[in-house]
Amino acid sequence: MKFKVILWVLLVCVGFVPDLGAAGNGADGKTRFLVVSSYHKEYSWSQETNRGFCAAMLKFGYFDNTEQTHEYTENDYVETSRAIIKKLWMDSKRKSRRAEMEETSIGIYQTATGFKPDLIFLGDDNAANYVGNKFLDAEVPVVFWGVNKTPVKYGLLQSKERPGHNVTGVYQSGYYLDSLKLLKRILPGVQTFAVLSVNTPTGRSHHKTIAYLARQGLLPLELVDIVATNDYEEWKHRALELQQRVDALFLAHCSGLENRSGQYVSSEEIFRWFGENIRVPTVAEQKNYIQQGILCGADDSAYNQGYEAVIIAHDILANGADPATYPPRSPKRGALMVNKRRAEKLGLILTKEMGIEEYIEQISTGQE
């Protein structure tokens, strides 16, 4: 592995960037797409971004039919009448060490140079950072989705207004304020809250933004404390402690927790424990968290992230848009959501005056 890293550094130092060719450069004339996800197939956020991605690829004719979207989702590869689409996974929730992600990204780089994509999609922060920088200023355009808070990081863009390189895409602005306002409408009496997070790049982007909004006096509740740890036992202990001190908890991010043996803790286990032990109202800004038992939130839609990224990619390939001058954007938020089962457990009466736009009928915890 050390040799691979040293080799990559030497290539960068001498100014090498991969030339992966122009769109539709294969003998068959088909457009070749490489999709790199930061996470793993069972992760619900990845499933939602994939749904949006597939819907847009079908709309723009890169998939011929819905059967091909299923084939791609199942096999991470499909060939259609117009395109060849290949997907790779970093699995960085479970392989979260910096050295592991660097080694994975080098393998992805090697696969990409053999595959010769006409466009690369990068899903979420770790793919954008570790893989994106290996293709910065290459001939191949790069479109990311799911980058948290601001797209102007990792050195991929010069500015939000004018990216300046071969990279652009879709980022998550975060709907923390909308989520807390919804909670306040449902429960006008809540006054204080604390944040539960993990100490990962994604987790930090969430809880630091909430802290910033609190310092600016923009939140409808008083922020009392923030917990950010990857230690599952400590995370549980602090959660139990916090619910004795605040009116509500904001679950900023929980994927990346590890047990005392250093093993990844699944969302199934986390949300099962959460549902059995946390009695105060909870809020989040991801649909998959609300589906798994969090009371409410404004969905920072994973579906919209994947869908919007394909719109940008199509504009580049079909209309000649230049990523260097194509500003990244944040898509519209998803619905204001409430989990009805969780509301019932809390004894809440929901009314149309609360502005709820979508109801989740069940609490479902899937293995991740």
Side-chain angles (χ1 to χ4, degrees):
M1 177 196 153
K2 289 183 179 178
F3 173 76
K4 291 180 179 178
V5 174
I6 293 170
L7 177 60
W8 172 253
V9 171
L10 289 173
L11 290 172
V12 171
C13 289
V14 299
F16 171 82
V17 290
D19 180 357
L20 299 179
N25 63 350
D28 53 14
K30 295 182 180 181
T31 305
R32 303 172 74 86
F33 294 97
L34 181 67
V35 183
V36 181
S37 171
S38 293
Y39 308 133
H40 53 283
K41 187 176 292 192
E42 297 78 16
Y43 188 46
S44 55
W45 171 271
S46 298
Q47 293 172 356
E48 279 294 300
T49 55
N50 182 67
R51 284 184 59 244
F53 172 85
C54 288
M57 291 288 278
L58 183 61
K59 174 183 177 181
F60 289 111
Y62 298 109
F63 288 139
D64 301 321
N65 49 56
T66 56
E67 286 74 19
Q68 289 176 347
T69 71
H70 299 319
E71 181 181 348
Y72 164 75
T73 300
E74 179 68 23
N75 301 323
D76 298 326
Y77 182 90
V78 71
E79 182 169 351
T80 76
S81 64
R82 286 185 56 193
I84 300 173
I85 305 102
K86 181 180 183 67
K87 190 168 190 175
L88 302 173
W89 301 89
M90 287 188 68
D91 198 13
S92 66
K93 293 294 183 186
R94 299 179 293 200
K95 299 177 181 178
S96 58
R97 305 294 190 272
R98 187 181 298 273
E100 290 177 313
M101 290 190 284
E102 180 60 36
E103 184 172 18
T104 299
S105 67
I106 291 172
I108 289 170
Y109 167 80
Q110 293 169 337
T111 298
T113 55
F115 181 64
K116 298 187 181 299
D118 300 306
L119 186 138
I120 298 174
F121 288 103
L122 300 177
D124 294 282
D125 284 66
N126 290 330
N129 185 15
Y130 286 88
V131 179
N133 273 291
K134 290 176 174 51
F135 293 97
L136 187 64
D137 291 326
E139 291 295 321
V140 61
V142 175
V143 177
F144 58 78
W145 71 66
V147 170
N148 289 289
K149 189 177 177 181
T150 173
V152 187
K153 57 181 177 179
Y154 307 129
L156 298 174
L157 279 69
Q158 292 178 2
S159 71
K160 191 157 63 173
E161 293 73 24
R162 190 176 180 85
H165 299 287
N166 62 317
V167 184
T168 188
V170 189
Y171 64 97
Q172 296 175 251
S173 55
Y175 296 100
Y176 316 101
L177 178 57
D178 289 353
S179 296
L180 288 168
K181 284 182 175 179
L182 176 60
L183 176 65
K184 188 70 173 177
R185 289 198 297 272
I186 295 170
L187 286 162
V190 297
Q191 300 294 326
T192 60
F193 80 107
V195 174
L196 276 174
S197 182
V198 288
N199 189 25
T200 64
T202 299
R204 287 190 292 273
S205 71
H206 288 308
H207 70 71
K208 286 184 176 181
T209 302
I210 296 172
Y212 171 80
L213 294 172
R215 290 195 300 271
Q216 299 300 309
L218 298 175
L219 301 179
L221 280 71
E222 176 190 353
L223 176 60
V224 173
D225 203 352
I226 294 175
V227 170
T229 177
N230 296 339
D231 186 319
Y232 184 43
E233 295 304 319
E234 180 184 357
W235 190 87
K236 290 189 292 183
H237 173 75
R238 294 298 308 278
L240 294 172
E241 175 195 15
L242 287 173
Q243 73 171 345
Q244 304 300 319
R245 298 196 286 127
V246 296
D247 299 326
L249 292 176
F250 197 120
L251 186 55
H253 205 63
C254 66
S255 185
L257 288 168
E258 297 179 349
N259 62 24
R260 291 292 165 85
S261 300
Q263 297 172 320
Y264 175 82
V265 182
S266 71
S267 69
E268 181 179 33
E269 179 176 339
I270 294 167
F271 282 99
R272 183 189 302 114
W273 180 90
F274 211 78
E276 292 172 353
N277 293 276
I278 299 302
R279 299 290 175 259
V280 297
T282 51
V283 63
E285 48 96 55
Q286 290 188 28
K287 178 179 181 179
N288 56 318
Y289 284 11
I290 300 165
Q291 289 174 323
Q292 294 178 95
I294 297 302
L295 174 63
C296 67
D299 180 28
D300 195 349
S301 172
Y303 181 97
N304 290 349
Q305 290 283 323
Y307 194 99
E308 198 78 14
V310 175
I311 293 176
I312 293 174
H314 180 71
D315 210 9
I316 292 169
L317 295 175
N319 302 320
D322 183 359
T325 59
Y326 200 114
R329 57 182 181 250
S330 180
K332 66 179 182 179
R333 69 161 173 80
L336 297 174
M337 312 179 78
V338 169
N339 188 299
K340 288 184 70 175
R341 182 65 62 85
R342 183 66 172 173
E344 290 169 1
K345 288 187 175 183
L346 292 171
L348 302 178
I349 298 175
L350 305 175
T351 67
K352 63 179 181 180
E353 287 76 21
M354 294 172 179
I356 301 165
E357 297 170 349
E358 183 176 336
Y359 293 93
I360 304 297
E361 299 291 340
Q362 300 291 331
I363 294 175
S364 60
T365 55
Q367 181 72 26
E368 292 184 0

